[in-house]
Amino acid sequence: MSLATVTPEVAVVSDSAATPAAPVLLEVTGLSARYGKVAALTGATLKLRAGQIVTVIGPNGAGKSTLLNAMMGALPAGAAASGRISFQGGDVSQMDVEERVARGLSLVPEKRELFTTMSVEDNLLLGAYKRRRNGESGYLDQQDFVYALFPRLKERRRQAAGTLSGGERQMLAVGRALMAKPQVLMLDEPSLGLAPLVTKEILGIVSQLRSTGVTTLLVEQNARAALQIADYAYVLEMGEIACEGPAATLAADPRIVESYLGVARH
């Protein structure tokens, strides 16, 4: 069922309703992406305010991962993107991935992409590589913070990443991204393949990051869980933003409930 006809008063809320005191940190305007002749994303526009958790939900194949990869400049060879990505008031649309990381953007991809033969600690150190190369004397200052968030990583710091459980690998992927000291953390399906209790733990930690000042963009198939921890939400359908609003408002909308939360309307 398409949500394109969701009434504006329910699904689209004015900017002032979403944390009015917080400045816009990242703004995407008219972002489109193509794989050859196939359009995967069409004119996506969204905002992240400082300190928020913003979630993007939608069905499989809607273009959620493409959205994150385009924002990060990490689309595969042969793909093309257009539109404007503004971060802290500056246009980063033409920057490569490393430049965007240096500016304060980090992405935890769906497949996590860990170095499985390397230790947990070495994977974390790689997350700080860009800061080290830029000559930052305190480039490891996030390590204690990461270990405090994920005590199991500290316990397994000498263990090869490939021997970790699925939940521990996800913790490591998030921890590695945090080593870059990002201002915006983008998470692509962090609960994918995880048991419900592990999913709850991971998303609980994501929620905790709000208090540390990290702004989070969460792409998540588990719409119910995502809406529970998010401040603001967008629904992506067939490559287009179908509706948006405060997460609590969307979670209570009957059409969102029926389409994504697994509860039929009566």
Side-chain angles (χ1 to χ4, degrees):
M1 180 187 73
S2 173
L3 297 175
T5 57
V6 171
T7 53
E9 65 269 24
V10 172
V12 181
V13 181
S14 68
D15 231 18
S16 62
T19 320
V24 174
L25 185 61
L26 188 150
E27 184 169 8
V28 174
T29 308
L31 186 60
S32 298
R34 305 183 67 86
Y35 298 102
K37 295 182 179 180
V38 179
L41 192 67
T42 306
T45 294
L46 56 87
K47 295 178 181 179
L48 276 74
R49 293 185 178 276
Q52 280 190 325
I53 297 176
V54 174
T55 188
V56 179
I57 63 173
N60 288 330
K64 301 188 298 296
S65 293
T66 296
L67 172 66
L68 291 192
N69 287 325
M71 290 173 64
M72 198 66 205
L75 288 172
S82 61
R84 178 181 171 86
I85 303 166
S86 177
F87 180 52
Q88 296 184 313
D91 189 352
V92 300
S93 308
Q94 302 306 312
M95 293 182 179
D96 63 24
V97 175
E98 285 197 356
E99 289 176 302
R100 297 185 204 203
V101 170
R103 286 292 185 97
L105 301 175
S106 283
L107 169 64
V108 179
E110 179 183 324
K111 295 181 180 179
R112 298 163 191 160
E113 297 180 6
L114 300 172
F115 293 91
T116 56
T117 61
M118 296 174 63
S119 70
V120 166
E121 189 164 70
D122 284 343
N123 270 274
L124 291 177
L125 294 179
L126 283 174
Y129 171 74
K130 186 69 176 178
R131 296 178 63 199
R132 178 183 178 184
R133 198 171 73 172
N134 289 343
E136 291 187 39
S137 58
Y139 68 94
L140 292 180
D141 59 0
Q142 289 287 90
Q143 190 170 30
D144 287 343
F145 169 65
V146 170
Y147 282 150
L149 273 179
F150 304 110
R152 271 178 283 176
L153 295 184
K154 187 172 184 179
E155 294 170 6
R156 292 158 172 72
R157 62 187 181 276
R158 306 298 182 196
Q159 194 170 320
T163 65
L164 300 177
S165 68
E168 290 164 349
R169 291 188 191 197
Q170 186 61 63
M171 292 175 189
L172 180 54
V174 174
R176 183 180 61 183
L178 291 173
M179 289 293 290
K181 210 170 187 177
Q183 294 184 60
V184 174
L185 177 66
M186 294 184 277
L187 301 171
D188 192 358
E189 302 284 9
S191 73
L192 186 67
L194 303 183
L197 285 177
V198 180
T199 294
K200 184 177 180 180
E201 181 179 4
I202 295 289
L203 293 181
I205 290 168
V206 172
S207 184
Q208 290 177 36
L209 289 175
R210 184 193 285 110
S211 65
T212 71
V214 176
T215 301
T216 303
L217 179 59
L218 171 66
V219 160
E220 179 53 60
Q221 188 65 32
N222 187 335
R224 184 183 300 278
L227 292 172
Q228 285 176 347
I229 69 168
D231 300 295
Y232 202 80
Y234 293 84
V235 178
L236 192 65
E237 284 191 345
M238 298 180 67
E240 298 182 2
I241 301 294
C243 63
E244 63 177 277
T249 301
L250 264 62
D253 185 290
R255 279 160 286 197
I256 300 293
V257 170
E258 182 178 5
S259 296
Y260 299 108
L261 305 187
V263 179
R265 281 187 296 165
H266 298 285

